[in-house]
Amino acid sequence: MTSSVRHICGISGGKDSSALALYLRDRVPEMEYFFCDTGAELPETYEFLTRLEVILGKPIVRLNSERGFDHWFEVFRGALPSPQMRWCTKVMKIKPIEAWIGDKPAISYVAIRADEANRKGYISTKPNIESRFPFVEDGVDHEGVMKILDDAGIGLPAYYDWRTRSGCYFCFYQRKAEWIGLADRHPELFERAVAIEQKVLLDAGVDGNADFGDRAMAGRQYTWSGGETLVQLRDRRTEILDRHADALARAKTARRNIPLIEVLADAFDDDDSAEQCTVCAL
Amino acid sequence: MTTLADVLSVRRQFARSASLERDAENVEPLDGYVVTARALDVVERVTAAALGPAGGAWSITGPYGSGKSSLGLLLDAAFGPPGVARERALAKLADAAPAAKDDVLRALSRHQSRSAGIFRALVTADREPVARTVLRGLHRAVVRRYGRVPGSAEFAASSLLKLAQRRASRAKDPVDPSVSELVEIAHCIASQSPLLIVIDEFGKNLEAAGDDESSDTYLLQRLAEAGQGTGLPIFVVTLQHLSFEEYLANADDRRRRDWAKVQGRFVDVAFTESAAQTRALIAEALQVDDDRLRGRIDAWAVTHAESLAAAGVSDLSEPDKIAACWPLHPIAALVLPELCNRFGQHERTLFSFLAGSESGTVASLAADIALNGEGELPSIGPEAVYDYFMDTGGAGVSTVGRSGRWTEIAGRLRDAHGLPGEESRVIKSVALLNLVATSGATRASASVLRLVDPASKETLAGLEHRGLLTYRAFADEYRVWHGTDVNVTELTAAAHDRIADQPLHQVLGAVYAVEPIVAARHSAQNDVVRLFRCRFVHGDEMIDPLAALDAADGELLLVTSTEGRFPTLSDEAIRSGTHQRSAPHRLWRLRSKPVVAAMPDEVADLDRAAREVAALNDVLSAPQVENDWVARREVGERLALARSQLEAAMSSTYSTANCSWTLLDQSAGIPLQPGRGSAPLSEAADLAYPDAPRVPNEMLNRSELTSQGAKARRLLLEAMIECGSEFRLDLKGYGPEMAMYEAALRYSGVHRPRRAGGEFVFGRPRARKDRVSSEASEQIEHVRLTHVWGAIESAFDAAKSSRLNIRDLYVMLASPPYGVKAGVIPVIVTAALLARADRIAIYEHGTFQLGLSPELSERMVRNPGHFEVKHFANVSGSRKAAVDALAAGFGIDPGVGNSRVGNVLSVTRHIAARTRRLENWTRCTSHLSDRALAVRDALTEATEPDVLLFESLPAALGHTPIAATAVRARDGVSTLRSGGGGGPYSAFADDLSLSLDELTGRCRELVLELCAELLSAAGERARVAVSGPAVGLIDEVLDPQMRSFVLALSNDVYEDDHDWMASIATVLAGKAPSEWTDRDLAAVRARLPQRLAAFNRLRALHAERRAADGLPFEALRVAVTDPSGAEEARLVGVAHEERSAVESAVDDLLAKIAEAVGSPQRAHNAVMAILAERLLAPSGAAHAETDPLSAKIADGVR
């Protein structure tokens, strides 16, 4: 294999990119798989990646593993990312990917399905990268993706039970009900997110917690989720879950006979933002 | 109807600009000319000179329109030949001063020129050399006398003049006459009759002279001298707007000096008129021809004079002067001179207004004003002046500089057009007075305005009521622009009262931000910027010194009391300790940053200025002022003034000479020498930072790096960590990181080859052998960095029993006596950490780290307080023996020199590096040996390397802990020699190695065990025997769980059995083996036989069906490795019914080949090689697939 063109496929930890990796396993033998590790992914994601790696029989290169979120949080001394200042995407996703790809010609395979052809993923602006969309080209839709995953015996990442997307446990794009899901499934991560919201990194000082409260934007209360702190959000647990159930029901009546995972994706609460991070969710 | 025009004649001095060439010998311009006092003065000077023994030279300087050209014409006519022009000129002179006419005539007689006049060279200069101008003038003078240039019999210099004229006027390459030629011509002329040279617009000659080099200066000098001393009657008059120097502003110094010398030969005459003189000129210009009016005018004048006197206007309070200006209203006469000077072209504008024929002038207005036989005399009031100037002058105003007020007033009045007569008259008078008012009584006060309109009080009230006028009480003046009711003075006084009790340092603190001061001399000498932050103190405070990591290097206290007390340092400053490392004679040894107190001799001015600014600030924020822009502007102007006064007071109060300076210490303080500028601060910095290393890099050696600088430093630190053993850290190019490297690490010898030509290391600074310098400054530089380095090493050495926080190290380095800048500290600290990498353990967030990495360094730079270090000296005795045994067991490469192995850290790092990526399963499983489990626990719990190596791990492995005491190696033999091998601790090392191998390899082993279990359950020996048949079953299976199992079995992309089995196990558990728990393992062990049994059943079923299809075959997996190492694998097979045919063909073939190559064995080998090459090489693949059976097999694989 002496071809000078690299073939790369990014794995997000979600179902589509995993299915694409499996789909291309035999089609593009020289494929290089990569995953941008923020160091703050859900445990389910890490577990799923190992699973995928074993099935693929090839390593998935972990980019950025030396400089994850905690690193940047300390370097930026408590300046938190937000939809307005999304440094997380820049320093933990785009920069490491572009550094890893380098300047050699490369073909990037993007996991956009045939039934969502108008979605935009991370499509690099670097001139040496050519993007391909095998699912779109071959007409692989949601059902096709599920079949690929089933055949491989890999199943879905476990977070799909309560969350619609992979990404950091504190992703500011996640929905209120997903925050509750985090509090239920991973209380320790929820506590960590609560601390970060107050510009405190747990177990990170010299022997305790690192408090950056008097550094970045001192005196300004940051909130991960619009309009309320995580503590306030958790106090509204029942209300949020009720509203979420209503939204689920509404989404279900709107379309019949669809899998739960799709219902979840469509069920926005009134106070959720429909935005999402195009890079992380890819 | 009788009008004013019938009784008034207006003399015209110059209605339009005069031209010497055009208007000479023209009588008309002289008609209306009024000889002003200063014109008379010039004529008298020339006349006096002509009556004397020789000539003279004058330079007349005056603004545009002041009548300079007309003066030239007057001189020309007066000294010309007899005729109408001379008569007219002499009559004018006689009018002004009767003696003047007689003197001129006497002067002409003295030179026998009364019949023909003198030679008059009148010329207007261009932007050209003086010689050219003078030649033109002389030529003209001669032609005017003779009608042409006469022959040489009549005029001796005739041919010379003609030649010069010809040369100068030819079209191609004209040549200006030389100085000597011109002087000769002038002499020749003057020897016949006096010569008067008048050069108008002489400034243009001067501008040309400023442009290029020429001998002009010399010519002027010679001409001027010609008229002096030698007795030749040459009179030179130059007319210009500015002084010589101003024209020559752009010329070089030498030329300016030359021209200054020339000007020295001339008598300067300033051609400007005072307001009173201008009014005299007005009086001259306005002549009342009807003597019957005289009485009425006088009475009118007396009344107004009284009013003016009452209003305090002394400029125009004499009745005869008021009378002389009739029909101008006295207020109009009062403002006209200033108005013409400010907004017009002086007399030219004045006479345009008085005598011009266009509408709005006095002359034209007079024709429309009726003059009754009795009653009050009519007059031309200020409103007429205003109208005239607005109509004609407004356009030209923008060039005059004071257009702001003009535009504002004109704009406001335009907006208020259509006012009834009285109001219009009054408001225009106010506007006019506003325009010229500076100070004094000539302002729009009620009493002055009464002169314009006796009933003005009511009119003013009406205008004020409608917002067209405002009355400003503080100035006693009506104004056309907006006014304010806010009493600023009163508010300011109240504000003063409010702050009266506030101490001065507080007042100053609020109103004056003192910029930090650079200790200039010290900074320049030490290649570093030392900043002192400044603040005001009263003088009796306790002072906390600046924090060590503050960006400033010290503090300057500006004391505001003059009682001789100065602040004292707080206990905290004293507690921070003293440094002993310095020479005993050093005066100042505190470790806290220096604090200097400046005590002024006098603060009264400062106090006054500061309180004024504070009070005005206060007034400015008062609500009534905030809402009133006029008041705001007034306060703003006052505030600007007050601020500049405060600025001045600050610089004088705290100038070095007016203060005494003290560096505060534990006792009475150290007096500092005042010196110049920031000298005392430099002295303080010298005392405080004697050991500051010199880092000649401005980008790095500072408190806060720029983003560029921070990036360069990050690259430098990264290179230090990753390429420390390389020449110049393997940095390429000459970017800022290279400059930083050179300044901080290379010249100091901190980064150097271990030995000549060897690899590079970091270490204690030392003078580079190739750069031995005898210069004292470099010696000092080197010594200082050695001190800093020594301080870091001491701190490391002291951190043996307890950890040292990196931030404390930063604090020490930033403090006296080192004062290392925050930008440099990380570089030096990193170098020191790398130099001692084998002995210094780094902890982040309390956790042991494998070593410095770029990302860890990035975090350390930002949050040094999150890091600690601890020193692990090379151990001795039994511990050394143990460490050596472990190192040998792990195969750690023994280094050389300082990093010689045998230390705790390299062994610990080896263990940590091996075990830090243990699988999750290994971390939690109980399927490990007891020893491996115990080692795992020890690794998980240990935080200190020495505790781990010498206590926890021996205990885990059943060995005796290794004591820290210096037990001789021999002594330990009895307790630890449990097995054979080299040393007393080799058994411990062996046990540990085994356990680590188990920990790191067990997970893989487990998968291989499962693989063996699978194959045995399937009754096969190779995975190909399972995966091959599985291929054929894929389409037979519908159950999803079974299907993914079969797919996993069939998958042949994996390198080895482990990877194949791992994927099968992952499918079985829904989790990768590395993520398993023991429960997952148990589940897999239970499921595997069940699924395999199902698989075997499926396989049997399928084989039967295949037999029925008539195409049974057995498959083999063949793998071929080519010389490059690439492997190609394939399933191959032969159908049963074809088998005997193929076998007999192969037998024949092999027999044939055996014959050819010599042995059956070699034949087998050869055939295998050729077949492998042909069938399995990529080129053979396509060929193979054309065969249906092969294709079927190949499909199965894929």
PDB file of all heavy atoms in Angstrom, chain B residues 1074-1093:
ATOM      1  N   SER B1074     -11.358  -5.636  26.952  1.00  0.00           N
ATOM      2  CA  SER B1074     -10.625  -4.736  27.842  1.00  0.00           C
ATOM      3  C   SER B1074     -11.575  -3.959  28.752  1.00  0.00           C
ATOM      4  O   SER B1074     -11.158  -3.414  29.761  1.00  0.00           O
ATOM      5  CB  SER B1074      -9.785  -3.773  27.012  1.00  0.00           C
ATOM      6  OG  SER B1074     -10.634  -3.047  26.142  1.00  0.00           O
ATOM      7  N   GLU B1075     -12.837  -3.887  28.380  1.00  0.00           N
ATOM      8  CA  GLU B1075     -13.813  -3.147  29.190  1.00  0.00           C
ATOM      9  C   GLU B1075     -14.642  -4.074  30.083  1.00  0.00           C
ATOM     10  O   GLU B1075     -15.556  -3.634  30.777  1.00  0.00           O
ATOM     11  CB  GLU B1075     -14.773  -2.375  28.255  1.00  0.00           C
ATOM     12  CG  GLU B1075     -14.110  -1.363  27.362  1.00  0.00           C
ATOM     13  CD  GLU B1075     -13.568  -0.171  28.137  1.00  0.00           C
ATOM     14  OE1 GLU B1075     -14.194   0.211  29.156  1.00  0.00           O
ATOM     15  OE2 GLU B1075     -12.512   0.366  27.751  1.00  0.00           O
ATOM     16  N   TRP B1076     -14.358  -5.359  30.032  1.00  0.00           N
ATOM     17  CA  TRP B1076     -15.184  -6.311  30.765  1.00  0.00           C
ATOM     18  C   TRP B1076     -15.059  -6.185  32.277  1.00  0.00           C
ATOM     19  O   TRP B1076     -14.068  -5.678  32.807  1.00  0.00           O
ATOM     20  CB  TRP B1076     -14.762  -7.753  30.407  1.00  0.00           C
ATOM     21  CG  TRP B1076     -15.265  -8.218  29.059  1.00  0.00           C
ATOM     22  CD1 TRP B1076     -16.129  -7.578  28.240  1.00  0.00           C
ATOM     23  CD2 TRP B1076     -14.893  -9.449  28.416  1.00  0.00           C
ATOM     24  NE1 TRP B1076     -16.351  -8.314  27.107  1.00  0.00           N
ATOM     25  CE2 TRP B1076     -15.605  -9.471  27.177  1.00  0.00           C
ATOM     26  CE3 TRP B1076     -14.074 -10.515  28.730  1.00  0.00           C
ATOM     27  CZ2 TRP B1076     -15.494 -10.528  26.275  1.00  0.00           C
ATOM     28  CZ3 TRP B1076     -13.962 -11.559  27.831  1.00  0.00           C
ATOM     29  CH2 TRP B1076     -14.664 -11.563  26.615  1.00  0.00           C
ATOM     30  N   THR B1077     -16.043  -6.728  32.903  1.00  0.00           N
ATOM     31  CA  THR B1077     -15.922  -7.070  34.312  1.00  0.00           C
ATOM     32  C   THR B1077     -15.823  -8.598  34.362  1.00  0.00           C
ATOM     33  O   THR B1077     -16.036  -9.271  33.330  1.00  0.00           O
ATOM     34  CB  THR B1077     -17.168  -6.635  35.098  1.00  0.00           C
ATOM     35  OG1 THR B1077     -18.293  -7.307  34.518  1.00  0.00           O
ATOM     36  CG2 THR B1077     -17.382  -5.138  35.000  1.00  0.00           C
ATOM     37  N   ASP B1078     -15.563  -9.098  35.537  1.00  0.00           N
ATOM     38  CA  ASP B1078     -15.499 -10.554  35.646  1.00  0.00           C
ATOM     39  C   ASP B1078     -16.848 -11.198  35.324  1.00  0.00           C
ATOM     40  O   ASP B1078     -16.940 -12.319  34.846  1.00  0.00           O
ATOM     41  CB  ASP B1078     -15.034 -10.969  37.048  1.00  0.00           C
ATOM     42  CG  ASP B1078     -13.533 -10.735  37.192  1.00  0.00           C
ATOM     43  OD1 ASP B1078     -12.869 -10.507  36.140  1.00  0.00           O
ATOM     44  OD2 ASP B1078     -13.021 -10.752  38.323  1.00  0.00           O
ATOM     45  N   ARG B1079     -17.892 -10.446  35.600  1.00  0.00           N
ATOM     46  CA  ARG B1079     -19.219 -10.972  35.284  1.00  0.00           C
ATOM     47  C   ARG B1079     -19.399 -11.127  33.772  1.00  0.00           C
ATOM     48  O   ARG B1079     -19.955 -12.118  33.306  1.00  0.00           O
ATOM     49  CB  ARG B1079     -20.274 -10.007  35.839  1.00  0.00           C
ATOM     50  CG  ARG B1079     -21.666 -10.499  35.676  1.00  0.00           C
ATOM     51  CD  ARG B1079     -22.655  -9.495  36.183  1.00  0.00           C
ATOM     52  NE  ARG B1079     -22.644  -9.441  37.644  1.00  0.00           N
ATOM     53  CZ  ARG B1079     -23.633  -8.911  38.350  1.00  0.00           C
ATOM     54  NH1 ARG B1079     -24.653  -8.380  37.734  1.00  0.00           N
ATOM     55  NH2 ARG B1079     -23.580  -8.890  39.654  1.00  0.00           N
ATOM     56  N   ASP B1080     -18.890 -10.141  32.996  1.00  0.00           N
ATOM     57  CA  ASP B1080     -18.946 -10.247  31.537  1.00  0.00           C
ATOM     58  C   ASP B1080     -18.190 -11.492  31.081  1.00  0.00           C
ATOM     59  O   ASP B1080     -18.634 -12.223  30.202  1.00  0.00           O
ATOM     60  CB  ASP B1080     -18.329  -9.011  30.878  1.00  0.00           C
ATOM     61  CG  ASP B1080     -19.153  -7.761  31.131  1.00  0.00           C
ATOM     62  OD1 ASP B1080     -20.389  -7.849  31.076  1.00  0.00           O
ATOM     63  OD2 ASP B1080     -18.561  -6.695  31.397  1.00  0.00           O
ATOM     64  N   LEU B1081     -17.037 -11.701  31.707  1.00  0.00           N
ATOM     65  CA  LEU B1081     -16.224 -12.856  31.325  1.00  0.00           C
ATOM     66  C   LEU B1081     -16.997 -14.166  31.553  1.00  0.00           C
ATOM     67  O   LEU B1081     -17.025 -15.036  30.683  1.00  0.00           O
ATOM     68  CB  LEU B1081     -14.919 -12.860  32.148  1.00  0.00           C
ATOM     69  CG  LEU B1081     -14.021 -14.084  31.974  1.00  0.00           C
ATOM     70  CD1 LEU B1081     -13.562 -14.236  30.529  1.00  0.00           C
ATOM     71  CD2 LEU B1081     -12.804 -13.989  32.900  1.00  0.00           C
ATOM     72  N   ALA B1082     -17.631 -14.221  32.720  1.00  0.00           N
ATOM     73  CA  ALA B1082     -18.402 -15.423  33.041  1.00  0.00           C
ATOM     74  C   ALA B1082     -19.513 -15.625  32.011  1.00  0.00           C
ATOM     75  O   ALA B1082     -19.752 -16.733  31.516  1.00  0.00           O
ATOM     76  CB  ALA B1082     -18.976 -15.303  34.443  1.00  0.00           C
ATOM     77  N   ALA B1083     -20.156 -14.520  31.654  1.00  0.00           N
ATOM     78  CA  ALA B1083     -21.252 -14.610  30.684  1.00  0.00           C
ATOM     79  C   ALA B1083     -20.741 -15.121  29.350  1.00  0.00           C
ATOM     80  O   ALA B1083     -21.374 -15.964  28.703  1.00  0.00           O
ATOM     81  CB  ALA B1083     -21.908 -13.236  30.523  1.00  0.00           C
ATOM     82  N   VAL B1084     -19.562 -14.622  28.928  1.00  0.00           N
ATOM     83  CA  VAL B1084     -19.002 -15.061  27.656  1.00  0.00           C
ATOM     84  C   VAL B1084     -18.680 -16.552  27.721  1.00  0.00           C
ATOM     85  O   VAL B1084     -18.963 -17.301  26.783  1.00  0.00           O
ATOM     86  CB  VAL B1084     -17.756 -14.227  27.302  1.00  0.00           C
ATOM     87  CG1 VAL B1084     -16.997 -14.868  26.140  1.00  0.00           C
ATOM     88  CG2 VAL B1084     -18.173 -12.810  26.943  1.00  0.00           C
ATOM     89  N   ARG B1085     -18.077 -16.939  28.838  1.00  0.00           N
ATOM     90  CA  ARG B1085     -17.716 -18.362  28.963  1.00  0.00           C
ATOM     91  C   ARG B1085     -18.966 -19.246  28.908  1.00  0.00           C
ATOM     92  O   ARG B1085     -18.908 -20.384  28.445  1.00  0.00           O
ATOM     93  CB  ARG B1085     -16.982 -18.598  30.289  1.00  0.00           C
ATOM     94  CG  ARG B1085     -15.527 -18.097  30.224  1.00  0.00           C
ATOM     95  CD  ARG B1085     -14.593 -18.998  31.017  1.00  0.00           C
ATOM     96  NE  ARG B1085     -13.251 -18.995  30.474  1.00  0.00           N
ATOM     97  CZ  ARG B1085     -12.222 -18.355  31.035  1.00  0.00           C
ATOM     98  NH1 ARG B1085     -12.384 -17.670  32.163  1.00  0.00           N
ATOM     99  NH2 ARG B1085     -11.041 -18.420  30.479  1.00  0.00           N
ATOM    100  N   ALA B1086     -20.066 -18.730  29.389  1.00  0.00           N
ATOM    101  CA  ALA B1086     -21.304 -19.508  29.337  1.00  0.00           C
ATOM    102  C   ALA B1086     -21.887 -19.521  27.937  1.00  0.00           C
ATOM    103  O   ALA B1086     -22.405 -20.526  27.455  1.00  0.00           O
ATOM    104  CB  ALA B1086     -22.308 -18.927  30.331  1.00  0.00           C
ATOM    105  N   ARG B1087     -21.819 -18.370  27.256  1.00  0.00           N
ATOM    106  CA  ARG B1087     -22.472 -18.271  25.950  1.00  0.00           C
ATOM    107  C   ARG B1087     -21.685 -18.964  24.847  1.00  0.00           C
ATOM    108  O   ARG B1087     -22.278 -19.466  23.888  1.00  0.00           O
ATOM    109  CB  ARG B1087     -22.605 -16.779  25.568  1.00  0.00           C
ATOM    110  CG  ARG B1087     -23.916 -16.191  25.997  1.00  0.00           C
ATOM    111  CD  ARG B1087     -23.947 -14.692  25.712  1.00  0.00           C
ATOM    112  NE  ARG B1087     -24.580 -14.012  26.850  1.00  0.00           N
ATOM    113  CZ  ARG B1087     -24.336 -12.773  27.214  1.00  0.00           C
ATOM    114  NH1 ARG B1087     -23.427 -12.074  26.557  1.00  0.00           N
ATOM    115  NH2 ARG B1087     -24.973 -12.243  28.224  1.00  0.00           N
ATOM    116  N   LEU B1088     -20.367 -18.924  24.952  1.00  0.00           N
ATOM    117  CA  LEU B1088     -19.539 -19.393  23.854  1.00  0.00           C
ATOM    118  C   LEU B1088     -19.859 -20.831  23.441  1.00  0.00           C
ATOM    119  O   LEU B1088     -20.116 -21.085  22.239  1.00  0.00           O
ATOM    120  CB  LEU B1088     -18.055 -19.230  24.231  1.00  0.00           C
ATOM    121  CG  LEU B1088     -17.043 -19.535  23.133  1.00  0.00           C
ATOM    122  CD1 LEU B1088     -17.273 -18.620  21.930  1.00  0.00           C
ATOM    123  CD2 LEU B1088     -15.624 -19.330  23.656  1.00  0.00           C
ATOM    124  N   PRO B1089     -19.916 -21.809  24.389  1.00  0.00           N
ATOM    125  CA  PRO B1089     -20.230 -23.182  23.972  1.00  0.00           C
ATOM    126  C   PRO B1089     -21.619 -23.290  23.365  1.00  0.00           C
ATOM    127  O   PRO B1089     -21.817 -24.007  22.365  1.00  0.00           O
ATOM    128  CB  PRO B1089     -20.152 -23.987  25.272  1.00  0.00           C
ATOM    129  CG  PRO B1089     -19.528 -23.099  26.293  1.00  0.00           C
ATOM    130  CD  PRO B1089     -19.657 -21.704  25.834  1.00  0.00           C
ATOM    131  N   GLN B1090     -22.578 -22.529  23.908  1.00  0.00           N
ATOM    132  CA  GLN B1090     -23.948 -22.594  23.357  1.00  0.00           C
ATOM    133  C   GLN B1090     -23.976 -22.131  21.912  1.00  0.00           C
ATOM    134  O   GLN B1090     -24.519 -22.796  21.024  1.00  0.00           O
ATOM    135  CB  GLN B1090     -24.888 -21.668  24.162  1.00  0.00           C
ATOM    136  CG  GLN B1090     -25.107 -22.095  25.594  1.00  0.00           C
ATOM    137  CD  GLN B1090     -25.799 -20.999  26.404  1.00  0.00           C
ATOM    138  OE1 GLN B1090     -26.236 -19.988  25.855  1.00  0.00           O
ATOM    139  NE2 GLN B1090     -25.903 -21.214  27.720  1.00  0.00           N
ATOM    140  N   ARG B1091     -23.320 -20.988  21.678  1.00  0.00           N
ATOM    141  CA  ARG B1091     -23.346 -20.458  20.302  1.00  0.00           C
ATOM    142  C   ARG B1091     -22.589 -21.383  19.362  1.00  0.00           C
ATOM    143  O   ARG B1091     -22.978 -21.568  18.210  1.00  0.00           O
ATOM    144  CB  ARG B1091     -22.703 -19.063  20.261  1.00  0.00           C
ATOM    145  CG  ARG B1091     -23.450 -18.010  21.017  1.00  0.00           C
ATOM    146  CD  ARG B1091     -24.531 -17.339  20.138  1.00  0.00           C
ATOM    147  NE  ARG B1091     -25.443 -16.629  21.010  1.00  0.00           N
ATOM    148  CZ  ARG B1091     -25.250 -15.350  21.367  1.00  0.00           C
ATOM    149  NH1 ARG B1091     -24.226 -14.705  20.897  1.00  0.00           N
ATOM    150  NH2 ARG B1091     -26.090 -14.767  22.170  1.00  0.00           N
ATOM    151  N   LEU B1092     -21.487 -21.954  19.872  1.00  0.00           N
ATOM    152  CA  LEU B1092     -20.701 -22.830  19.016  1.00  0.00           C
ATOM    153  C   LEU B1092     -21.484 -24.093  18.645  1.00  0.00           C
ATOM    154  O   LEU B1092     -21.414 -24.562  17.514  1.00  0.00           O
ATOM    155  CB  LEU B1092     -19.398 -23.221  19.698  1.00  0.00           C
ATOM    156  CG  LEU B1092     -18.207 -22.325  19.328  1.00  0.00           C
ATOM    157  CD1 LEU B1092     -16.995 -22.718  20.119  1.00  0.00           C
ATOM    158  CD2 LEU B1092     -17.927 -22.404  17.830  1.00  0.00           C
ATOM    159  N   ALA B1093     -22.206 -24.585  19.640  1.00  0.00           N
ATOM    160  CA  ALA B1093     -23.032 -25.775  19.364  1.00  0.00           C
ATOM    161  C   ALA B1093     -24.022 -25.445  18.266  1.00  0.00           C
ATOM    162  O   ALA B1093     -24.193 -26.207  17.304  1.00  0.00           O
ATOM    163  CB  ALA B1093     -23.739 -26.202  20.649  1.00  0.00           C
TER     164      ALA B1093
END
